[in-house]
Amino acid sequence: MSVLSILEFPDPRLRLHAAPVQVFDAQLKKLGADMLETMYAANGVGLAAIQVNVQQRVLVADMSEERNQPLVLVNAEVVERHGSQVYQEGCLSFPGIYANVTRALGVTVTALDLDGKALRLELEGPLAVCIQHEIDHLDGKMFVDYLSPLKRAMLLKRLDKQRRQAASA
Ligand code: GNR
Ligand code: NI
């Protein structure tokens, strides 16, 4: 297994769209394992293949306290949604930046596992947030896209400042 490097904003590759997976082979299983390892190494709760420069519809997540409930979803789609919630989101492609985002409270997600077996998940709360955040990445969308232009500009300026400080430290 390998820890992959994570693309950071404003890398244009984060705006690419991922294509559906069609072949369920050893290479796909390796991608899933590498993405999990990368997510755990970065202390993230989710990761989308787009963030590691792979344009395939693969995402991983683990919202458990013990970090022992890995989820790997292939070709995940939200097929139903209800309600709304506000949750403070972060993103490994925007290190150190957090913002409140409004999303569906609950979602029904269809997906395939690494063997190509169909799954149907009813998710609510933080895990529903995470999966919506990851599916967005696969369509080139990021959490800052939901913010007002003013809030977004403020956060991007903060990201810039943090980077300049880190570079001069
Ligand atoms: O690690 C992550 N934390 C997080 C917190 C709140 C809402 C969404 C997330 S996902 C993020 C990892 C990441 O960037 N996934 O794309
Ligand atoms: Ni993210």
Side-chain angles (χ1 to χ4, degrees):
M1 294 212 295
S2 343
V3 173
L4 309 171
S5 72
I6 298 175
L7 302 179
E8 292 188 4
F9 182 87
D11 194 306
R13 292 171 291 182
L14 287 167
R15 291 296 182 189
L16 295 174
H17 291 225
V21 170
Q22 290 178 339
V23 182
F24 292 80
D25 58 4
Q27 201 179 324
L28 180 69
K29 290 192 172 72
K30 170 154 171 54
L31 175 63
D34 287 349
M35 285 177 60
L36 282 170
E37 192 180 5
T38 304
M39 175 187 78
Y40 288 126
N43 285 316
V45 298
L47 186 70
I50 282 281
Q51 291 176 281
V52 293
N53 197 30
V54 175
Q55 289 80 37
Q56 293 195 65
R57 301 193 76 84
V58 179
L59 68 85
V60 299
D62 187 344
M63 285 233 107
S64 69
E65 201 71 51
E66 305 76 24
R67 319 285 291 144
N68 61 359
Q69 289 173 48
L71 194 58
V72 181
L73 300 181
V74 177
N75 300 348
E77 279 181 53
V78 174
V79 294
E80 276 173 55
R81 62 189 81 225
H82 69 265
S84 83
Q85 62 179 321
V86 178
Y87 195 85
Q88 181 170 281
E89 298 195 18
C91 182
L92 294 172
S93 298
F94 296 77
I97 298 298
Y98 303 89
N100 286 336
V101 176
T102 305
R103 297 188 189 267
L105 170 64
V107 290
T108 303
V109 173
T110 60
L112 302 170
D113 70 13
L114 286 171
D115 296 312
K117 192 184 79 166
L119 308 172
R120 187 179 177 93
L121 308 171
E122 314 265 348
L123 308 174
E124 261 199 13
L127 185 55
V129 169
C130 180
I131 299 302
Q132 291 175 80
H133 175 119
E134 304 314 336
I135 292 175
D136 272 355
H137 274 301
L138 300 176
D139 293 315
K141 189 157 185 176
M142 288 171 273
F143 77 124
V144 296
D145 299 341
Y146 291 97
L147 309 177
S148 70
L150 185 66
K151 178 88 188 171
R152 184 185 152 105
M154 202 179 77
L155 286 177
L156 296 184
K157 209 162 137 183
R158 191 175 298 164
L159 181 62
D160 213 57
K161 184 176 170 187
Q162 286 174 3
R163 281 174 172 159
R164 278 184 279 111
Q165 284 177 345
S168 70

Coordinates of all heavy atoms in Angstrom, one line a residue, residues 1 7 29 47 52 55 64 73 76 84-85 88-89 91-92 97 107-108 123 127 147 151 155 158 164-165:
M1 N 0.8 -1.2 0.0 CA 0.0 0.0 0.0 C 0.9 1.2 0.0 O 2.0 1.2 0.4 CB -0.9 0.0 1.3 CG -1.9 -1.1 1.3 SD -3.4 -0.6 2.2 CE -2.8 -0.3 3.8
L7 N -3.9 16.6 -3.9 CA -3.9 17.9 -4.6 C -4.5 18.9 -3.7 O -5.5 18.7 -3.0 CB -4.7 17.7 -5.9 CG -4.2 16.7 -6.9 CD1 -5.2 16.7 -8.1 CD2 -2.8 16.9 -7.3
K29 N -8.8 -2.4 -6.5 CA -8.6 -2.7 -5.1 C -7.4 -2.0 -4.5 O -7.5 -1.6 -3.3 CB -8.5 -4.2 -4.9 CG -9.9 -4.9 -5.2 CD -9.8 -6.4 -4.7 CE -11.2 -7.0 -4.8 NZ -11.6 -7.3 -6.2
L47 N -12.1 10.8 1.5 CA -11.2 11.2 0.4 C -11.8 10.7 -0.9 O -12.4 9.7 -1.0 CB -9.8 10.5 0.6 CG -8.7 10.9 -0.4 CD1 -8.2 12.3 -0.1 CD2 -7.5 9.9 -0.2
V52 N -6.5 12.7 -5.4 CA -5.2 12.0 -5.6 C -4.9 11.8 -7.0 O -4.2 11.0 -7.4 CB -5.1 10.7 -4.8 CG1 -5.1 11.0 -3.3 CG2 -6.2 9.7 -5.1
Q55 N -9.0 10.1 -12.0 CA -10.3 10.6 -12.4 C -11.3 9.5 -12.6 O -11.9 9.2 -13.6 CB -10.2 11.4 -13.7 CG -9.5 12.8 -13.5 CD -8.0 12.7 -13.4 OE1 -7.4 11.9 -14.1 NE2 -7.4 13.5 -12.5
S64 N -15.9 6.9 12.0 CA -15.9 6.3 13.3 C -14.8 6.9 14.2 O -13.8 7.3 13.7 CB -15.7 4.8 13.2 OG -14.4 4.4 12.8
L73 N -16.6 3.3 -1.6 CA -17.8 3.3 -2.5 C -17.3 3.7 -4.0 O -16.6 4.6 -4.2 CB -18.8 4.4 -2.1 CG -19.4 4.2 -0.7 CD1 -20.4 5.3 -0.4 CD2 -20.0 2.8 -0.5
A76 N -20.7 6.0 -6.6 CA -21.8 6.4 -5.7 C -22.6 7.5 -6.2 O -22.1 8.4 -6.9 CB -21.1 6.8 -4.3
S84 N -32.4 19.2 5.9 CA -31.2 20.0 5.7 C -30.5 20.1 7.0 O -31.1 20.0 8.1 CB -31.4 21.3 5.1 OG -31.8 22.3 6.1
Q85 N -29.2 20.3 7.0 CA -28.3 20.4 8.2 C -27.2 21.4 7.8 O -26.7 21.4 6.7 CB -27.8 19.1 8.7 CG -26.9 18.4 7.6 CD -26.3 17.0 8.2 OE1 -25.9 16.9 9.3 NE2 -26.3 16.0 7.3
Q88 N -20.0 22.1 10.1 CA -18.7 22.8 9.8 C -17.8 21.8 9.0 O -17.3 20.8 9.6 CB -18.0 23.2 11.1 CG -16.7 24.0 10.8 CD -16.1 24.7 12.0 OE1 -16.5 25.7 12.4 NE2 -15.2 24.0 12.6
E89 N -17.5 22.1 7.8 CA -16.7 21.3 7.0 C -15.2 21.7 6.8 O -15.0 22.9 6.9 CB -17.3 21.2 5.6 CG -18.7 20.6 5.6 CD -19.3 20.1 4.2 OE1 -18.5 20.0 3.3 OE2 -20.5 20.0 4.2
C91 N -11.5 20.3 4.5 CA -11.2 19.5 3.3 C -9.7 19.4 3.2 O -9.0 20.4 3.4 CB -11.7 20.3 2.0 SG -11.4 19.3 0.5
L92 N -9.2 18.2 2.9 CA -7.8 17.9 2.9 C -7.1 18.7 1.7 O -5.9 18.9 1.8 CB -7.5 16.4 2.7 CG -7.9 15.6 3.9 CD1 -7.8 14.1 3.6 CD2 -7.1 15.9 5.1
I97 N -8.6 25.2 6.8 CA -9.8 26.1 6.5 C -11.1 25.3 6.8 O -11.2 24.2 6.4 CB -9.7 26.4 5.0 CG1 -8.5 27.2 4.6 CG2 -11.0 27.2 4.5 CD1 -8.3 28.5 5.3
V107 N -29.5 11.1 3.2 CA -29.4 10.8 1.8 C -29.5 9.3 1.6 O -29.0 8.5 2.5 CB -28.1 11.3 1.1 CG1 -28.1 12.8 0.9 CG2 -26.8 10.8 1.8
T108 N -30.1 8.8 0.5 CA -30.0 7.4 0.1 C -29.0 7.4 -1.0 O -29.1 8.1 -2.0 CB -31.4 6.9 -0.4 OG1 -32.3 7.1 0.7 CG2 -31.3 5.4 -0.7
L123 N -28.1 7.1 4.8 CA -27.2 7.8 5.7 C -27.8 9.1 6.3 O -28.6 9.8 5.6 CB -25.9 8.2 4.9 CG -25.3 7.1 4.2 CD1 -24.1 7.7 3.3 CD2 -24.8 6.0 5.1
L127 N -22.1 11.4 8.5 CA -21.6 10.6 7.4 C -22.3 11.0 6.1 O -21.7 10.9 5.1 CB -21.9 9.1 7.8 CG -21.4 8.1 6.8 CD1 -19.9 8.2 6.5 CD2 -21.7 6.6 7.3
L147 N -20.3 28.7 -0.5 CA -20.2 29.9 0.3 C -20.5 31.2 -0.5 O -20.4 31.2 -1.7 CB -18.8 30.0 0.9 CG -18.3 28.8 1.6 CD1 -16.9 29.0 2.1 CD2 -19.2 28.4 2.8
K151 N -17.6 35.4 1.9 CA -17.1 34.4 2.8 C -16.0 33.6 2.1 O -14.9 33.3 2.7 CB -18.2 33.5 3.2 CG -17.9 32.4 4.2 CD -17.9 32.8 5.6 CE -17.3 31.7 6.5 NZ -17.2 32.1 7.9
L155 N -12.0 33.2 3.2 CA -11.3 31.9 3.5 C -10.1 31.7 2.6 O -9.1 31.1 3.1 CB -12.3 30.8 3.4 CG -13.3 30.7 4.6 CD1 -14.3 29.6 4.3 CD2 -12.6 30.5 5.9
R158 N -7.3 33.6 3.8 CA -6.7 33.0 5.0 C -5.8 31.8 4.6 O -4.7 31.6 5.2 CB -7.9 32.5 5.9 CG -7.4 32.1 7.3 CD -8.6 31.8 8.2 NE -9.5 32.9 8.4 CZ -10.8 32.8 8.9 NH1 -11.3 31.6 9.1 NH2 -11.5 33.9 9.0
R164 N 1.8 31.3 3.3 CA 2.9 32.3 3.3 C 3.7 32.2 4.6 O 4.9 32.2 4.7 CB 2.5 33.7 3.0 CG 2.3 33.9 1.5 CD 2.0 35.3 1.1 NE 0.6 35.6 1.3 CZ 0.1 36.5 2.2 NH1 0.8 37.1 3.0 NH2 -1.2 36.7 2.2
Q165 N 2.9 32.0 5.7 CA 3.5 31.9 7.0 C 4.3 30.6 7.1 O 5.4 30.6 7.7 CB 2.4 32.0 8.1 CG 2.0 33.5 8.3 CD 0.9 33.6 9.4 OE1 0.3 32.7 9.7 NE2 0.7 34.9 9.8

